[in-house]
């Protein structure tokens, strides 16, 4: 992705969030110089901030996701069961923009439709080796109710609705009937190591520096 495209997407996404009353923390407006400074060390270490990805495929409108990580703990604390063991993200998926099929090794997450269009989530259970089970039903909690779908079933979340995805559950998602604002509340998150994709793709975009960044991305840290 060109940096000029990333800058444009970032500002469009921020404006979309504001339509739903989302106010980001102060570091969302920090300059690249501030984000490289000593004061931002914990922000960088925890992977907080802007994250725009096309999964390295160069077709953001078809395959991509807009994210902002507001809070995140330390993965090493999971082994002790104490500390900041949670994370939170705000995301935008555009209409018919795919976030490709993947699962997480450690992260459990609530995915919440915070407004806009419908959020469609395609689901598969894992088999004994953690690969996609294309024949078994998959059961997930959705707002306190267990929902069972056939393999590859599509769960439609209307604004205000949510689903809980436990580690290992395969999922892909996109928006229908308009762009969708998504909330994510999860276990501590490490996007560098905890995403297993069905496709041979990367988690972060490859950036072509055609202009200066307005704000740094998590992948720039």
């Amino acid at each position: 992705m060109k940096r000029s495209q990333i800058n444009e997407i970032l500002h469009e996404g921020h404006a979309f969030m504001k339509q739903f009353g989302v106010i980001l923390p102060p570091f969302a407006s920090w300059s690249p110089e501030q984000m490289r400074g000593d004061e931002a060390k914990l922000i960088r270490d925890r992977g907080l901030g802007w994250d725009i990805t096309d999964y390295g495929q160069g077709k953001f409108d078809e395959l991509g996701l807009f994210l902002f990580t507001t809070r995140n703990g330390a993965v090493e604390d999971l082994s002790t069961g104490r500390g900041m063991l949670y994370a939170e993200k705000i995301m935008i998926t555009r209409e018919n923009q795919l976030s490709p099929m993947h699962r997480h090794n450690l992260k459990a997450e609530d995915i919440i439709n915070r407004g806009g269009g419908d959020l469609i989530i395609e689901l598969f259970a894992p088999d004994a080796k953690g690969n996609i089970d294309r024949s078994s039903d998959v059961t997930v909690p959705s707002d306190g109710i267990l929902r069972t779908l056939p393999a590859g079933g599509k769960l439609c979340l209307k604004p205000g609705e949510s689903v809980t995805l436990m580690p290992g559950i395969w999922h892909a998602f996109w928006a229908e009937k308009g762009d969708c604002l998504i909330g994510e509340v999860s276990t501590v998150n490490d996007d560098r190591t905890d995403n297993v994709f069905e496709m041979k793709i990367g988690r972060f975009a490859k950036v072509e520096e055609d202009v200066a960044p307005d704000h740094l991305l998590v992948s720039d840290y």
Side-chain angles (χ1 to χ4, degrees):
M1 299 179 72
K2 291 185 177 181
R3 182 68 71 171
S4 56
Q5 181 190 13
I6 290 171
N7 287 344
E8 181 180 359
I9 292 168
L10 189 152
H11 291 294
E12 289 174 351
H14 199 181
F16 184 75
M17 290 180 183
K18 289 179 179 178
Q19 292 179 29
F20 297 91
V22 175
I23 307 299
L24 296 177
F27 64 83
S29 63
W30 283 12
S31 68
E33 291 73 25
Q34 286 176 289
M35 198 59 77
R36 294 185 184 107
D38 292 343
E39 187 178 10
K41 183 179 185 306
L42 185 61
I43 293 170
R44 297 192 303 268
D45 289 348
R46 295 290 174 88
L48 308 182
W50 300 104
D51 183 359
I52 295 166
T53 184
D54 64 354
Y55 302 97
Q57 303 305 297
K59 45 185 180 181
F60 177 79
D61 289 337
E62 300 175 32
L63 189 72
L65 188 63
F66 177 107
L67 311 92
F68 188 93
T69 301
T70 56
R71 65 200 80 248
N72 194 17
V75 173
E76 52 268 26
D77 287 343
L78 287 174
S79 61
T80 68
R82 298 173 62 87
M84 187 178 180
L85 307 180
Y86 55 88
E88 180 189 38
K89 291 182 179 179
I90 301 165
M91 305 183 290
I92 299 168
T93 184
R94 295 184 175 184
E95 186 172 11
N96 298 320
Q97 181 189 44
L98 177 67
S99 288
M101 189 63 64
H102 65 288
R103 64 171 173 83
H104 304 291
N105 292 317
L106 295 176
K107 185 172 75 169
E109 56 187 343
D110 275 15
I111 303 296
I112 309 140
N113 185 336
R114 291 297 191 192
D118 295 343
L119 180 60
I120 311 300
I121 306 181
E122 183 180 11
L123 295 165
F124 289 94
D127 64 17
K129 295 183 178 180
N131 298 317
I132 294 176
D133 185 335
R134 298 191 182 277
S135 59
S136 298
D137 290 348
V138 55
T139 299
V140 292
S142 178
D143 297 312
I145 298 172
L146 291 178
R147 301 281 300 275
T148 298
L149 296 89
K154 297 175 180 63
L155 182 66
C156 177
L157 298 180
K158 300 286 186 181
E161 295 181 329
S162 69
V163 64
T164 300
L165 303 176
M166 299 304 290
I169 296 293
W170 288 90
H171 55 287
F173 57 87
W174 60 91
E176 294 182 357
K177 301 178 183 178
D179 297 351
C180 183
L181 182 69
I182 305 169
E184 178 185 301
V185 178
S186 76
T187 315
V188 170
N189 179 73
D190 187 349
D191 276 325
R192 297 165 298 181
T193 61
D194 198 40
N195 291 279
V196 179
F197 290 100
E198 178 188 18
M199 301 166 58
K200 292 184 178 180
I201 57 175
R203 167 59 180 80
F204 298 104
K206 300 173 184 176
V207 181
E208 178 185 338
E209 304 290 354
D210 61 327
V211 299
D214 291 341
H215 300 288
L216 294 185
L217 302 180
V218 169
S219 54
D220 293 321
Y221 306 160

